């Protein structure tokens, strides 16, 4: 099982990714969580990333590529994974394509297009997202940052929907329903593909 979870901030990617990862006993790899841990630990990477995150901007691609490459090479990523929050830009997706085929379990030396990858897009309308994020209350969940994150998502991440649709790897799920309903639908559309 190799899954990418896409969708705007507040779509419920993290919640659903964690649930399914527990169920399928594969790692849930969240670049947002990794970055937040680096910020808390005040590592050099965390120091670099903090200002971008607080402003609702994307952290530069190069930093994310290093993080993901290192994480994907760890032994627990061999059997599959759910990647949450990456790729978030077209250059990240292109990089990931080349990486996928080099990492253990990546499927060997062929193009990312041939790997057993599925990209899930959780779709939720903007007004619902803003309400959800404001009630979540994370450090970067103030109204100004939320607006910027949504804008960055539309500009830089949404094009990935077409990228994966073109490759017939896209799975679209309506995220504007109860958590349980979304989980059930994800299980239904994704099972049988592990
Ligand atoms: P959200 O729940 O709002 O989607 P995440 O927890 O996934 O947020 O990420 C929080 C912040 O971490 C982002 O706003 C961004 O600054 C940074 N970040 C996470 N993943 C990436 C990525 N792939 N590329 C660039 N920045 C990222």
């Amino acid at each position: 099982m190799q899954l990418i979870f896409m969708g705007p901030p507040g779509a419920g990617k993290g919640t659903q990714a964690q649930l399914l990862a527990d169920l399928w006993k594969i790692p849930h790899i969240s670049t947002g969580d990794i970055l937040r841990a680096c910020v808390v630990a005040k590592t050099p990477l965390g120091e670099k990333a903090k200002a971008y995150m607080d402003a609702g901007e994307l952290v530069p691609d190069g930093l994310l590529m290093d993080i993901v490459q290192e994480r994907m090479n760890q032994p627990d990523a061999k059997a599959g994974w759910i990647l949450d929050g990456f790729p978030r830009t077209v250059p990240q997706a292109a990089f990931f394509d080349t990486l996928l085929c080099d990492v253990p379990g990546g499927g060997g030396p062929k193009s990312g297009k041939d790997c057993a990858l599925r990209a899930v897009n959780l779709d939720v309308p903007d007004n619902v997202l803003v309400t959800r994020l404001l009630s979540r209350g994370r450090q970067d969940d103030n109204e100004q940052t939320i607006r910027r994150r949504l804008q960055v998502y539309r500009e830089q991440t949404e094009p990935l929907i077409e990228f994966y649709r073109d490759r017939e790897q896209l799975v679209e799920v309506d995220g504007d329903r109860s958590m349980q309903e979304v989980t059930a639908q994800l299980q239904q559309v994704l099972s049988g593909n592990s």
Side-chain angles (χ1 to χ4, degrees):
M1 189 72 84
Q2 299 183 336
L3 291 178
I4 290 173
F5 269 39
M6 301 189 294
K13 303 181 296 279
T15 309
Q16 298 294 340
Q18 187 62 56
L19 264 162
L20 295 176
D22 288 346
L23 199 70
W24 292 329
K25 302 192 174 23
I26 52 178
H28 165 212
I29 301 174
S30 156
T31 48
D33 286 350
I34 294 173
L35 286 168
R36 278 186 288 277
C38 292
V39 170
V40 170
K42 293 192 158 49
T43 67
L45 194 138
E47 302 277 304
K48 281 189 207 141
K50 187 176 185 319
Y52 294 99
M53 295 171 73
D54 286 346
E57 301 294 335
L58 293 183
V59 173
D61 285 341
L63 295 182
L64 266 296
M65 292 174 187
D66 288 346
I67 291 176
V68 169
Q69 178 153 26
E70 198 201 307
R71 184 63 188 85
M72 299 296 292
N73 276 310
Q74 287 171 28
D76 68 340
K78 220 180 152 112
W81 30 259
I82 300 181
L83 198 44
D84 158 17
F86 186 95
R88 234 181 177 96
T89 64
V90 172
Q92 289 180 13
F95 162 82
F96 192 54
D97 249 8
T98 55
L99 178 69
L100 253 194
C101 298
D102 293 339
V103 297
K110 52 188 180 185
S111 92
K113 206 171 168 175
D114 301 323
C115 298
L117 181 79
R118 318 196 83 202
V120 176
N121 184 46
L122 267 185
D123 196 28
V124 178
D126 273 12
N127 59 334
V128 178
L129 295 172
V130 174
T131 311
R132 284 189 189 176
L133 289 167
L134 283 174
S135 65
R136 185 169 71 176
R138 204 172 68 194
Q139 149 118 22
D140 56 347
D141 285 340
N142 61 72
E143 191 146 5
Q144 193 188 354
T145 311
I146 289 171
R147 253 193 238 114
R148 180 63 191 146
R149 273 158 48 213
L150 283 172
Q151 189 183 7
V152 167
Y153 170 78
R154 301 286 174 218
E155 289 168 7
Q156 304 202 47
T157 310
E158 216 166 47
L160 293 181
I161 295 175
E162 291 311 314
F163 179 93
Y164 289 109
R165 197 199 311 276
D166 283 350
R167 298 151 55 115
E168 298 176 2
Q169 289 172 322
L170 185 69
V171 175
E172 290 187 278
V173 171
D174 177 8
D176 188 15
R177 292 176 300 166
S178 74
M179 247 177 67
Q180 290 81 355
E181 285 172 307
V182 176
T183 310
Q185 189 181 357
L186 284 167
Q187 277 183 270
Q188 193 193 341
V189 285
L190 296 171
S191 58
N193 291 291
S194 54

